[in-house]
Each structure stands twice: as C-alpha cells, then as structure tokens.
Amino acid sequence: MVTDPLVLQLAAELFPNGISRYAVGGLLVGLGAVVIYIGTGIPAGASTFLESTLSYVSDRSRFQRYVGSRDWRVVFTLGIILGAAVFAATVQSGVIATSLYEPGTTGQTYELAGITLWLTEVQPWRLFLGGILVGIGTRIGKGCTSGHGVCGVGSASKTSIVGVATFLLVAIGTAQLVAALGVSP
Amino acid sequence: MSDDRHPLFKPLIFVGGLIFGFGLGFSHMARPEVVLNFLQFEDFGLLFVMFGAAVVSGIAFAVMPRIRDTAPLTGDLYERRLKSFDRNVLIGGAIFGVGWGLSGICPGAAYASLGTGNITILWALAGMFIGAYAQGYWRSRTAETGSTATRAD
C-alpha cells in the first residue's frame, strides 16, 4: 500500500483524534433531525426550546407565540438528554466498544452506579456568561448550530449559510482571543 | 398547530431526539473543550459533525417533497427551513458567536452534555434561559410600546 506520508502527517495535525467519531456522530445528529422531518415535516432546531419553555412561566407575548409547539419541544429536549445518557451508559462506559469511537482525554470522568459520566473543566463563569450570550444571540439571530447549521444549511438557505458563517467567524475570533489572554480551560 | 395530532407524534419526536442526542455525545460536540479546540484550530474534526449532519438532513429536505406532499403524523407540507434575512441574522449571529467562542457550548450540545453526566453545564443552561428571557422581555416591550404594535416579526 502506498500512502503519501505528507497526507498522513497533515491528517495527524489537523485531526489529532481521527475523524470517525466526528463523522459517525454527525451522521447520527443528521439522522435524528431526518426522522423528525420525515414523520412530521418539522425541521427541528434546539434553541427555540429556550423561549417555548419560558411560555410556561411568562405571559409575555414573545413567549406565548410558542404555546402550540412547547410540549413537543420539551419532548425533543428530553430525548436529546436521554440519548446522550444512553451514549454515556454504553460507549462512554466501555460497555460497547467500537473502533469508530476515540475516547479522548478532555475533561474528567467519574463513576456513578457503574456508569462512566463526564465533567467539563471549562470554568463556570465562561459557561454562564457564554450561555447568556448564546441565549440572546440565537433568539435574535433566528437559530443556532442545529436550526441554522444542520436544518438551514441542509435546506441550502442563504439566510442560514450567512448566519453560520457569521457565528463561526466570530466564535473563532473570540476563542482565539480568550486563549491569547491566557484563560484556560 | 393544535394538540389533536397523531398519537405517534410525540413518540417520534422523542426517538428523533434520542438519536440526535446520542450523536452529539458520540461526536464529543457535547464537550465544550472539544468545541474550543476546534475554534482554536487544534482539531478540525468538528467540521465533520456539522457538515455531516447537514448533508444527511439536506438529502431528506431534497428528496421528501418529491416523494409525498405532506408528513404522515401532522399533515404539514414538506418544506425546507427558510428564514427571512435581515440585519438581526448578523447581529444575533455575532452575539451567539461570542457566547459560543467563550463557552464552547450551543443549545443542543448543552442538553446532550447534561445527559453525559456533565452537571457543570447547568451554568450554561441557566445562562441560556436568562439570555432568552431577557431578549424576549425586551422584544415584548418594544412591540407593545412601539407606535406600530404588530406581533409579527
């Protein structure tokens, strides 16, 4: 077998954790959206859950627009949480081993009732402040990484492509700046 | 949309969410560190998550309208996800980008992260609800006090 060593070296630098876990995970994320679309015609995004769930506790007109969809959005979100929990109980815990999955070394793991769980080491203030900006931005910008990024880009929507390009470039600039300031993790 | 939908409507949404969340866990996109590594050009693997998912959904968006007109569980038309473009897409996208770049977390991945046992992510989820509430509160106010008080966006 002849493999160009330059290609291998480049792949090792750009993809230090390989590509299979990313590609397989991405296909499953897309498949989840497709299952919902085929059955219901709904191109599902994850961020509207924030506003639609607030309609249970706030009478504000902005939230009340989502009363019709808030129940299924809760179901969708519970599905996402449980799906990730199934991943934790199987692949993350090593119960199911596959060569397509690279465990990785980020964060730290802990055991609970025989299940391997995972904790981030990113500082709480970053998560909290970032969360606030994500909450504001995705609502003003009409979508997030799943609404714009998966369903919108999949729809070849110009609005979504511009939206994704905008948040991707700004996020890269922000992450580089924060790292340059010495904030880690 | 009303509540008298097909009895399989919510079960199907749930199954779709399960696959979606499993994929976010498997891909490690539910780990803020991995997202930050991507944004800092240390690991480009996340491109395969985003574009892989978009290609899969793109096939369904292209094919389903040709096979049938309406979805079996809702009777809704098979349409693409198209949103109108205005300045808000850029402003909101930029604010979202700062938040994503600072925290490494976006809404779907945050829900999934909780499922992998990452209880620290509750900080991000609390922030998201506060941000979405502040934005909705402000928008409701400007809609009510504005001279042309339309509820449409």
Side-chain angles (χ1 to χ4, degrees):
Chain A
M1 198 170 83
V2 184
T3 314
D4 190 344
L6 192 69
V7 174
L8 281 179
Q9 195 188 338
L10 202 64
E13 275 176 26
L14 299 181
F15 305 103
N17 295 298
I19 59 167
S20 65
R21 81 171 180 217
Y22 296 112
V24 171
L27 295 180
L28 289 171
V29 169
L31 185 65
V34 166
V35 164
I36 292 172
Y37 181 73
I38 290 177
T40 69
I42 297 170
S47 63
T48 309
F49 166 76
L50 300 169
E51 271 186 289
S52 66
T53 303
L54 285 166
S55 73
Y56 291 109
V57 294
S58 169
D59 292 333
R60 293 264 157 199
S61 58
R62 177 72 196 173
F63 304 120
Q64 290 303 310
R65 307 162 56 199
Y66 296 102
V67 165
S69 73
R70 64 186 183 183
D71 289 351
W72 74 254
R73 289 185 191 279
V74 169
V75 172
F76 180 47
T77 300
L78 287 176
I80 294 174
I81 297 172
L82 275 169
V86 170
F87 157 77
T90 56
V91 179
Q92 185 166 273
S93 295
V95 174
I96 295 176
T98 163
S99 59
L100 294 171
Y101 180 72
E102 175 92 28
T105 53
T106 49
Q108 49 179 301
T109 55
Y110 65 104
E111 304 281 326
L112 191 72
I115 295 172
T116 303
L117 298 170
W118 182 86
L119 271 183
T120 184
E121 285 171 346
V122 173
Q123 301 171 67
W125 73 267
R126 293 181 74 173
L127 298 173
F128 184 63
L129 196 57
I132 292 176
L133 293 169
V134 164
I136 296 172
T138 138
R139 299 297 70 218
I140 294 178
K142 307 180 186 183
C144 62
T145 26
S146 55
H148 274 321
V150 178
C151 292
V153 170
S155 298
S157 153
K158 288 196 186 88
T159 299
S160 289
I161 291 167
V162 172
V164 170
T166 305
F167 67 63
L168 201 52
L169 289 174
V170 172
I172 288 168
T174 305
Q176 305 267 0
L177 182 69
V178 171
L181 291 172
V183 180
S184 174
Chain B
M1 291 195 282
S2 61
D3 252 357
D4 54 345
R5 275 180 293 228
H6 197 282
L8 288 178
F9 176 74
K10 279 177 186 160
L12 182 100
I13 295 271
F14 183 70
V15 170
L18 275 179
I19 302 170
F20 195 96
F22 189 95
L24 282 169
F26 195 95
S27 69
H28 280 199
M29 192 167 178
R31 299 188 173 192
E33 283 91 336
V34 170
V35 174
L36 292 173
N37 284 343
F38 164 69
L39 296 173
Q40 291 163 25
F41 302 149
E42 285 161 17
D43 182 351
F44 286 86
L46 222 63
L47 288 174
F48 282 87
V49 184
M50 292 173 56
F51 288 106
V55 166
V56 172
S57 67
I59 293 170
F61 290 129
V63 168
M64 286 315 292
R66 291 163 203 258
I67 298 178
R68 37 183 305 160
D69 291 332
T70 59
L73 302 188
T74 55
D76 289 356
L77 284 173
Y78 283 121
E79 290 171 329
R80 296 191 296 152
R81 183 189 186 275
L82 302 174
K83 300 246 169 174
S84 59
F85 182 80
D86 54 36
R87 215 173 39 167
N88 281 338
V89 176
L90 298 175
I91 297 170
I95 297 172
F96 175 75
V98 174
W100 197 36
L102 180 64
S103 64
I105 268 297
C106 57
Y111 316 147
S113 200
L114 189 62
T116 66
N118 186 15
I119 45 174
T120 314
I121 207 68
L122 289 171
W123 285 102
L125 285 166
M128 282 179 206
F129 275 108
I130 291 169
Y133 182 76
Q135 194 278 149
Y137 182 88
W138 173 75
R139 268 231 191 146
S140 296
R141 258 177 65 119
T142 46
E144 279 156 19
T145 55
S147 52
T148 51
T150 51
R151 289 178 64 188
D153 271 327

